[in-house]
Amino acid sequence: LPTAAACAAGVALHRRQRGRLARASGVHDAEQRIQELLRLPDQAFNGPEAVGGSWEEYFAMRGLAPRNRAACTGALSVPLTILRACQQFGICSVPGQALRIDLVGARVLELADMVMVYEELGRAFDDAELELRLVGPELGRDMALPEAGVQVENVHVSFHRMMYRD
């Protein structure tokens, strides 16, 4: 299985690309992201391999036609990047075992609309428990984060305001 470092490298690459695209595509607000997230079907789908290789393939697989593409892709960029990394590196769930994913360099973005965002991640691994560890010194710097983390369906999200090497 690929290492966490390989997954972190994929997420870091996506963040650089996302930054360039966000500047080019304009601005969207939280309400627009929430409106798009509310339109997601609540059915599970067949793991990371079902995501496809593009937003168009994902939208088609989920039967989704976003009204505000920038808001939709902005809201779903974190869980779909995780799913794409799992797809790319052949990471899958093992029945009876939790799958732990470390998201290194997490910031406030990863906390936005958290319940609806990580529900979509959980739908891809409907038959497994996920442990998503958000790690980064800037993670919700001025926010009080629950020490026990947050349970979102089959995804447990924990918060680690520190450097990954620590």
Side-chain angles (χ1 to χ4, degrees):
L1 286 178
T3 65
C7 291
V11 171
L13 172 63
H14 169 75
R15 284 199 174 127
R16 285 193 301 276
Q17 292 171 340
R18 182 183 64 213
R20 279 186 236 123
L21 291 174
R23 287 189 294 277
S25 65
V27 177
H28 52 83
D29 64 21
E31 184 176 330
Q32 291 169 321
R33 287 192 310 272
I34 290 169
Q35 289 303 314
E36 290 298 332
L37 289 169
L38 288 171
R39 299 180 65 235
L40 288 171
D42 62 0
Q43 297 89 7
F45 53 97
N46 296 328
E49 61 278 356
V51 172
S54 68
W55 283 108
E56 289 72 22
E57 289 177 28
Y58 167 76
F59 292 147
M61 182 269 301
R62 297 298 277 150
L64 195 63
R67 292 186 183 129
N68 183 329
R69 184 181 170 89
C72 188
T73 58
L76 293 171
S77 67
V78 173
L80 265 62
T81 298
I82 292 169
L83 291 173
R84 181 70 172 129
C86 290
Q87 178 191 61
Q88 189 82 20
F89 297 111
I91 297 169
C92 57
S93 59
V94 176
Q97 293 183 1
L99 175 61
R100 185 165 90 186
I101 300 169
D102 291 350
L103 185 57
V104 180
R107 301 165 302 178
V108 72
L109 171 70
E110 286 76 13
L111 302 175
D113 313 315
M114 190 168 32
V115 170
M116 290 186 282
V117 166
Y118 296 124
E119 277 179 345
E120 187 67 357
L121 178 63
R123 289 178 187 123
F125 294 101
D126 193 44
D127 61 344
E129 291 294 317
L130 298 181
E131 296 175 12
L132 179 60
R133 294 173 10 120
L134 304 182
V135 182
E138 308 230 349
L139 180 63
R141 183 178 292 198
D142 298 325
M143 300 171 67
L145 299 172
E147 284 187 37
V150 174
Q151 189 72 35
V152 180
E153 302 293 329
N154 60 327
V155 181
H156 183 264
V157 183
S158 61
F159 312 103
H160 307 271
R161 196 176 289 140
M162 61 190 211
M163 297 293 290
Y164 191 65
R165 66 177 179 259
D166 297 337

